[in-house]
Structure formats: C-alpha cells, structure tokens
Amino acid sequence: MAHEATHDHHDDHHHHAPQGFFQRWVMSTNHKDIGTLYLVFSLLMFFIGGSFAMVIRAELFKPGLDLVQPYFFNQMTTMHALVMIFGAIMPAFVGLGNWMIPLMIGAPDMALPRMNNLSFWILPFAFTLMLSTLFMAGGGPAGGWTMYPPLSLQSDSLAYVVFAIHLMGISSIMGAINIIATILNMRAPGMDLLKMPVFVWSWLITAFLLIAVMPVLAGAVTMLLTDKYFGTSFFNPGGGGDPVLYQHVFWFFGHPEVYIMILPAFGIISEIIPTFARKPIFGYRAMVYAIASIAFLSFIVWAHHMFAVGLPLGADIFFMYATMLIAVPTGVKVFNWVATMWGGSMTFETPMLFAIAFVILFTIGGFSGLMLAMVPADFQYHDTYFVVAHFHYVLVTGAAFAIMGATYFWLPKWTGHMYSEFWGKVHFWCSVVFVNVLFFPQHFLGLAGMPRRIPDYNVAFANFNMISSIGGFLFGASQLIFLGVVVHCAFFAKKKATDRVWEGAKGLEWTVPSPAPHHTFEVPPVVRDEELAHGHTDD
Amino acid sequence: MASHTANGQIEQKRRHGVRRTVTVLAIVVGAFYLLSFAQILLMK
Amino acid sequence: MTSGSIRTGRIEPNQHRTPPGRWAGIRRAGAVSLALALALCSGLAQANPEPGQLNLTRGVTTWSEVPYFLNNVVLGVCVVIGILVFGAMFIAMFRFRKSRGAVPEKWSHNTMVEVIWTTIPVLILVALAWLATGGLVSFADTTGSQMTIKVTGYQWKWRYDYVDYLGKPISKVGYMSKLDALSDKTRQLHSGLDPYAVTTDGYNTYLINVDKPLVLPIHTKIRFVITSDDVIHSWWVPQFGWKMDAIPGIVNTAWTNINETGTYRGQCAELCGQDHGFMPIVVKAVSQEDFAKWLADQQQASAPAPAAASSAAAPASAQTAAAPAKAGNG
C-alpha cells in the first residue's frame, strides 16, 4: 500500500517544508505551495477586480454622471475584465490544478517544478505593470478588454498593457506545458487516461487550448504595439490594413479563452456532484468526449462575436451553425449531471450547493448563449446588456461559483480543518440570491436597448439598473463572508478534517492525510480501481 | 519531489516523457505565434 | 487609404424584395410570448425604450419582426427545456436525499437515454437554424433599394449623407447629427441638472435625442452604407431590428423599410472612446410626400452655398468616396 509511505510523513509533515518565509513561498518548487500562492493571488485579484465592478455599479446606480468621468468609467470596465479574466479566474484554476492534479493522479509533484515557480511569480509583476497604469497621467487602458483598434491605439497605456499581457501569456503557456507534461508522464502506474478524474481531463484539454491560443493573443497584441509605435499598418486602413482582421485574430484567441475559463469548472462540478450524490458520475466517457468536442468546436466559432461587423452571408451562416452545435455537448453535460443526481443519496454541504447552483445558473447562461447564436436576433442583442448578463451568468455563476465550490470541497484537505459549514452556507445563499438580483435584470436592460460600456443612460433604464446595482453591492459584500470563512478555516478552525473528509469522496487525493503533507506519493501509489472516482469505465 | 522517488525506472521514464512532451509543446507554441502573423499576411 | 481594403458588403442573392409578406403575416397574427412586454409596447408606439421594458421591441420595419419573432421562439424553447431540466433536478433533490433514507444506486450509464438527449437537441437546433437562416438571407438582400443613405461615424457624432432617392442622385444634402444641447449639459459630471427633466413631447429623451435627426420616408426600401472616419462605431436603432458596425476603411451595407411614421431612437453600440455613451441616433420617419418636400427644402438651402460642394464625399477621403460609386450600381 502506497499510503503507508505517505502516512509516515503525517506526524512530521512540516519537516520537509522549508522554514523561512522567503524560502518557503518565494523559492518554492512545491506544487502545493505554488497552488496556494496561485489561489491567494487569485483571491486578491478577485477583490481588486470586484472593487472596479463596484465603481461601475455605483456610477450606474441612477441616471446622470455622479461619481466618475466617462473616460475613467471606461478604464474601470476594461480593467475589471482584464483583472477578473487573467487575474482571478485563470490563476484560480491553475492553482486548483497545481494543488489537485498531482494528488489526483498519484504524482509526487508537477513535472517541471522550477518552471512552475516561474510561471506563478511572473503574475504579480504582470499585474503590477498593468494596474500601475491607473495611477499614470494618461490613465489606464479604456478601450475595452478586447482592445479593438483603432480605439485601443489612442491609449497612452497600450505598451504597458501589451507587455503585461505578454507576461500573463508566458505564465499561462508555461503553466499549460507543465500541466500537460505532468498528466501525460507523471501518472501512477495503473492510472489510465480513461480512469483519471474528470477534473484532470478537463485541465488536460484546457491546457491544449491555452497552448494553441495564448500565442495568438500575443501575436495580436504585438501587432497592436508595432502599429502604434513602429509604423506598421496591420490594422490601419490608412496603410492598407484592416481593423476587422484584429477582431478575427483576437477572437480566435478569445473564444477558446472563454472555454479555458469554463472547462475546468465542468471538471470540478463533475467531481463534486458524484461525491455528494454518493453515486458514480453518469456517462464518464460521454463527459470526457463532451469536453473534447466543446474544445474542438471552440476553434471554429470565433466570429460569433463579430456578427455586427458585416461578415459575408456565408460566414454568418457557418458561424451560427457551428455555435449552435456547441449546445449539444453542453446539453449532454448538464443532462449527465442531473442523471448523476438521480438515484443518488444526496446531502447538501456547501460545495454541493455551489455545484447545484452552477448547473442551474450556468444553464441559464447557456440558454442566453443559444439566443445570442441566432444571427438575426444577435443583431439586436449584440453589444447590449443582454450580452453582459449572458457572460456574467457563465463566468460568475459558472466559473466563479465552481471555484468557490472547489475551495469548500478541498479546503479541509489543504488546511486539515473543517471550514464553518454554517458560514459557508450563509455565503452560498447570499451569493446565489444577490448574483441573480445583480445580473438577471440586465437581460431586460439589454432587450430594452441599453448598450454595454456606457456610463450613463436614459431614465427608461433606471429601475432595473438600480436593482442591479443593489444586487451588485450586496453580492460584493457577500464575498467578504467567503474571505472570512477561508481565513478562519486556514488559521483558526478547531475541527480536524478526516483524511477522506466527505463520506462519498473517492479518488487518490482523499487517501493522503489531511492536511496533505508537504510531499505526497514520493513512491507511486498502487492504484485500485474501486478506490477511484471513475475506476470502472465500462460506459 | 522527483528525486525522492524510490522507483528509479519510473523516474527515468518520466524524465524522458516530460522532455519529449515539452519539446513538442514548445514547438506548437512557436508555430501558433507565427501563425497569427501568417494569418494576417495571407488575408491581405 | 487604398481601395484594396474596401470590402464590398455581402453576397446578394438574386431574390427580389421577398421577405415582408411572410413576416407581416406573423406580425398581424400577433404571436407573442410575453404579453406584459407587448402591453407596454403597444401603449406608446413612439416611445423607445420603454421604462420597465422586459422584451425586445417588435420594431416598425418590414424586417424587424424577424429578430423579434426569433427571440420569442428561442426564448420559449429555452423556457420549456429549462422547466424540464430544472424540474428533473428539483425532483431528484427532493426524492434522492440521504435524509429521506435514499440508498445510492450503482448504475452510471444508459445508452438509450444518452442517444435520446443527444438527438432531440439536434432536432430542435435544426428547426431554429432553419428559422434563423431565412431571416438572415432576407436581411442580406439589399437589392431593389429605392434610396441610399451614407452613415459615417465620428468620435462622437454621426454624419448622414443622402446619396440617391428614387433613382435620382442627390448632392449637397448631408449633415452632422450629435447629442442635443440639453442632454449634453445635463450629462456633465456633477451638473446638478435632473436627467428626468430632459423631455421631448412628454417623453424622456435624456441621452437619446440629437440636434438634427435623420429624416427618412416610410414604405421605401432604404439602403444604408455605413462607414467610419476614426474608430469603430455601430449604428443601431432597435426599432429597425439590426445594428451594423461603422468601421474605418470598410463600407458595410444594410437596409430597412419603415412601416409607420414616428421618431425612433438608438445609440452607438460599439465602444468608441470616452463619449461612446453620448452619441445617440434619432430617425424621424415621415410620409413620402413630407419627405419629398423636406428633401426639396434641403436641396434648395444647400444649393447657393458653394462650400457645401459634393456633400456625398464631404469627409474627404478616398474610401468614403467609394460609397456613392457603389450605390450607383444598386
């Protein structure tokens, strides 16, 4: 039994962790410590990005400009998106992957531990560079996170943002290479690819997406940089360029990027639901194939972000059909989650609550996605608050809820203590109520004709904006409960977590002690199918 | 860390596998970076 | 700016003014899913947007039914699927709780069920795709237009140039259209002015009113050629049912055929800088007789002024001059 070897470390697991703070955290090559760093960084960025959102919702609280100048408002919308996407959601998933993938596949660490350290420590510098522009004379980027030229070329902070994005891209690419190398080469003997947890599968596929599209983003922003400072005309019609080409290249990155932010969430939900339903996941292979098909389709739907740029009729039709096709594998996933719950024996701890909310609210985001795919209707929806509502349902109640659920799910394994179930549930119910107060009225605003990214609006939009803002403030405040629960669990909680933590938990990560010792699986564990969450893959 | 691994054979296999994976992926990254420029030039 | 970068609109299928009939029938049938929104819409035909509006506007043109109808159909489909899926979930959450003594079952797949819930969505999607494609093809058909308007986006205002009407070229009729003075004064930071006080004909027009609206005749197929002089904008009047990006170096085309006289308001729909929220669009749709009179007045007014020469190419740049040339063929 492999666990005996790791159990030896249980009593003196601090023995292997470096003693000094600097040594331990800055010089770390340990996947668990780096995972923790990623998660802490992501939480910090979540609050910074959230504070930008508070500025936005405060300005939109009622008609009339009361707080900020329009240009600063545009900086807020731009920075909110960049920080949340590249600073909060993506690093959170990388952190979860870092922590859990080696534990789930029985590897001693990531395949490239030193590169792992580098890919994390690039991020604080990248975000310092980007956020510093807010304090400069010309202000931060204000052309939207998509940075469409020619507008983005008018910004003085373009170079800072481009370099920051290059750094984030390098970090993501190194992280992705590391994850693929780990999953393909470091699995314990007997951990076949089709016995891996769905979370590991989702990260494997996500990492391939990252590798394919982050270089394309780097290329696109490099061309912006040379257009602004070195006299090229990639996107300048005056020099024979074409601004629409930027959008094609950007969305070739941008659409897979959307799935980079949701596929690991699918994986997390596919771990949480079977655990609390005490029943194996329904259609394991179908789940894996669905993730793979969504990933494939994500490469051929990019222009559905551009239906209003005047694409040729044939292109409109192709991208509409391809986009609608994504509803099929996504539907399969949702149906399979429901089927996993059906016939189970469910309990509703906080991770399960977040997972159930994810399935319902992500599906609502999927529905509005299907509506947006219909090109004639998209001519109306495009660039309105309907789109804002859509992608916040997918990214907040989708990706962010999955990350929160995952945090509650694995926090006892990380810290060795149980979090406060009461406060976890308070956090859940506050979040799930207020997030709907925040985003649901935005559907109506969009349908009624309110464009995105405007700092002020006609009084006809006043009522729903005020409701949305109130929801926003309360949702933002609710996240302080989350912070409190996590800090309490990490430093003050008394209740010890068992090794298995949850009654229905299956998989290698639950065979190591809680908290997980500094080094695990130094000797590859003996994998026994019945101990795995997905050991019997007869379907 | 890998050096603690008792089983030297597995260690060896992993090392080779990781090297090969990283080489292939690094080439893919470079190719996609260049592809974004190629796409622009081809569509001109 | 090279002419090589100009992309000529879209493929124009050889259909001649087909769609209105089909969609008008649906419109008159009044197939509406959200009765509340309809009630709000019908109350004030002029007013757009409505306070408290919940659904898309059904619009006032021959084509604007298409997105409205499609929106209602897809919304209905989503609601039905949602009820089924969420219903099953809630039943599962109620029946299969551990606290009710549920014992977990062992099964984890069922090929029959999986095939069914893969196939049925495909069939639904095919039906939706068929509906959407029809509407899209009719939108792409800009042939047979009786009038051409050139729309040019600027930071942060619009320019309208009347290119031709009923086969006759028009010159020297064109003007800028920007946010009205009262809205502009009110929207300044800490202006102390009340947005609720900005009204036109009893309807609040804060940020959706202009100094000089675009005047268009009803019952006329109007072709728009849309471009920009600086950054990307997007020309959007919700009552027309579409928006189209105004992109420097590119001329996009779209069309409309307005059914009812009235004033229709929209806004720029693509982030274009600090005053993106402050470049509204107002269309005043008038009868053909009124329009002919108005156009004659405009031509007369501009005739003696040599400075206004060649209004069609007023923002003097090569790529915008291509628009009238193209319009001549249409």
Side-chain angles (χ1 to χ4, degrees), chain A residues 59 63-71 74 78 142-144 148-151 154 237-238 240-244 247-248 277-284 286 308-314 316-317 320-321 324-325 327-328 332 334-336 338-339 341-348 356 359-360 363-364 367 370-371 374-384 444-464 503 538-539, chain C residues 1-2 5 7 9-11 13 49-57 63 66-67 70-71 74-75 78 81-82 85-86 88-93 95-99 102-110 113-114 117-118 121-122 125 128-129 132-133 135-137 139-140 155 187-191 195-196 203-208 230-232 234 236-245 247-250 252 267-278:
Chain A
E59 179 54 67
L65 284 177
D66 299 309
L67 295 172
V68 296
Q69 291 289 359
Y71 192 71
N74 291 350
T78 307
Y148 283 180
L151 181 63
Q154 295 179 345
D242 183 348
V244 176
Q247 299 186 18
H248 282 291
R278 293 167 180 76
K279 181 165 161 283
I281 190 145
F282 184 91
Y284 170 82
V309 303
L311 297 172
L313 177 63
D316 271 344
I317 289 175
M320 172 170 71
Y321 291 173
M324 292 171 75
L325 216 49
V328 177
V332 166
V334 172
F335 299 143
N336 283 8
V338 176
M341 292 160 69
W342 195 271
S345 172
M346 280 188 277
T347 50
F348 299 91
I356 290 168
V359 175
I360 294 173
T363 303
I364 291 176
F367 285 149
L370 178 64
M371 295 171 76
M374 318 292 285
V375 183
D378 184 72
F379 287 153
Q380 287 280 38
Y381 306 141
H382 180 80
D383 260 331
T384 67
F444 304 133
L445 287 173
L447 292 172
M450 179 167 162
R452 292 169 72 175
R453 295 164 163 170
I454 57 172
D456 197 3
Y457 48 82
N458 180 263
V459 300
F461 305 124
N463 47 3
F464 285 131
E503 189 190 21
D538 47 342
D539 55 320
Chain C
M1 302 191 191
T2 63
S5 64
R7 290 192 300 161
R10 40 183 90 250
I11 303 158
E50 298 292 335
Q53 183 179 332
L54 294 175
N55 199 7
L56 272 187
T57 174
W63 190 79
V66 175
L70 203 53
N71 166 74
V74 190
L75 184 63
C78 290
I81 297 173
V85 174
F86 301 150
M89 257 183 97
F90 280 106
I91 292 170
M93 282 191 276
R95 272 180 61 186
F96 305 108
R97 317 172 67 102
K98 201 183 172 212
S99 55
V103 179
E105 289 170 34
K106 293 269 180 273
W107 49 266
S108 65
H109 76 119
N110 181 334
V113 170
E114 289 179 80
W117 71 40
T118 312
V122 171
L125 290 176
L128 292 177
T133 307
L136 193 57
V137 170
F139 178 73
Q155 283 176 316
R187 65 112 179 158
Q188 301 301 324
L189 186 61
H190 309 309
S191 69
Y196 287 87
Y203 177 67
N204 188 290
T205 52
Y206 177 56
L207 299 182
I208 48 173
D230 37 47
V231 303
I232 301 174
S234 191
W236 180 35
V237 177
Q239 303 283 46
F240 289 3
W242 50 265
K243 60 176 69 70
M244 184 58 77
D245 284 0
I247 304 170
I250 287 170
N252 278 325
Q267 286 175 271
C268 175
E270 176 67 55
L271 180 62
C272 56
Q274 62 170 1
D275 287 349
H276 161 57
F278 311 110

Side-chain angles (χ1 to χ4, degrees), chain C:
Chain C
M1 302 191 191
T2 63
S3 58
S5 64
I6 294 169
R7 290 192 300 161
T8 50
R10 40 183 90 250
I11 303 158
E12 292 176 357
N14 209 8
Q15 269 173 294
H16 197 72
R17 302 232 284 144
T18 40
R22 176 150 62 107
W23 295 109
I26 293 156
R27 178 171 144 264
R28 298 217 168 77
V32 185
S33 65
L34 287 184
L36 179 56
L38 181 67
L40 285 164
C41 284
S42 57
L44 295 150
Q46 299 283 89
N48 47 84
E50 298 292 335
Q53 183 179 332
L54 294 175
N55 199 7
L56 272 187
T57 174
R58 95 194 316 215
V60 294
T61 70
T62 52
W63 190 79
S64 65
E65 286 294 334
V66 175
Y68 179 68
F69 174 69
L70 203 53
N71 166 74
N72 290 348
V73 169
V74 190
L75 184 63
V77 168
C78 290
V79 167
V80 171
I81 297 173
I83 289 171
L84 292 176
V85 174
F86 301 150
M89 257 183 97
F90 280 106
I91 292 170
M93 282 191 276
F94 181 75
R95 272 180 61 186
F96 305 108
R97 317 172 67 102
K98 201 183 172 212
S99 55
R100 293 181 87 234
V103 179
E105 289 170 34
K106 293 269 180 273
W107 49 266
S108 65
H109 76 119
N110 181 334
T111 312
M112 188 58 170
V113 170
E114 289 179 80
V115 169
I116 289 174
W117 71 40
T118 312
T119 321
I120 290 179
V122 171
L123 297 178
I124 296 172
L125 290 176
V126 169
L128 292 177
W130 179 77
L131 281 176
T133 307
L136 193 57
V137 170
S138 61
F139 178 73
D141 178 18
T142 54
T143 55
S145 63
Q146 297 147 288
M147 178 175 181
T148 304
I149 300 283
K150 183 156 84 73
V151 177
T152 314
Y154 293 85
Q155 283 176 316
W156 293 274
K157 51 189 177 287
W158 296 97
R159 182 180 173 85
Y160 301 117
D161 289 295
Y162 291 76
V163 180
D164 63 45
Y165 180 54
L166 300 177
K168 285 196 289 277
I170 307 166
S171 57
K172 300 171 196 134
V173 179
Y175 49 86
M176 291 287 184
S177 175
K178 65 176 198 305
L179 186 67
D180 71 307
L182 183 55
S183 288
D184 196 44
K185 226 161 66 187
T186 310
R187 65 112 179 158
Q188 301 301 324
L189 186 61
H190 309 309
S191 69
L193 297 171
D194 183 9
Y196 287 87
V198 182
T199 54
T200 310
D201 303 333
Y203 177 67
N204 188 290
T205 52
Y206 177 56
L207 299 182
I208 48 173
N209 200 13
V210 293
D211 54 353
K212 239 186 140 187
L214 173 66
V215 180
L216 295 176
I218 59 168
H219 299 309
T220 306
K221 183 164 181 177
I222 303 160
R223 196 169 84 116
F224 292 90
V225 288
I226 302 173
T227 187
S228 165
D229 196 56
D230 37 47
V231 303
I232 301 174
H233 306 269
S234 191
W235 200 82
W236 180 35
V237 177
Q239 303 283 46
F240 289 3
W242 50 265
K243 60 176 69 70
M244 184 58 77
D245 284 0
I247 304 170
I250 287 170
V251 178
N252 278 325
T253 54
W255 67 272
T256 196
N257 193 340
I258 307 167
N259 285 329
E260 302 163 32
T261 58
T263 307
Y264 308 117
R265 297 168 195 281
Q267 286 175 271
C268 175
E270 176 67 55
L271 180 62
C272 56
Q274 62 170 1
D275 287 349
H276 161 57
F278 311 110
M279 50 181 293
I281 295 147
V282 177
V283 173
K284 208 176 142 200
V286 298
S287 69
Q288 288 174 347
E289 301 80 60
D290 288 351
F291 179 75
K293 235 180 285 165
W294 176 87
L295 190 61
D297 289 351
Q298 295 293 311
Q299 280 172 313
Q300 210 153 38
S302 61
S310 178
S311 72
S317 58
Q319 93 273 17
T320 50
K326 217 155 71 71
N329 312 333

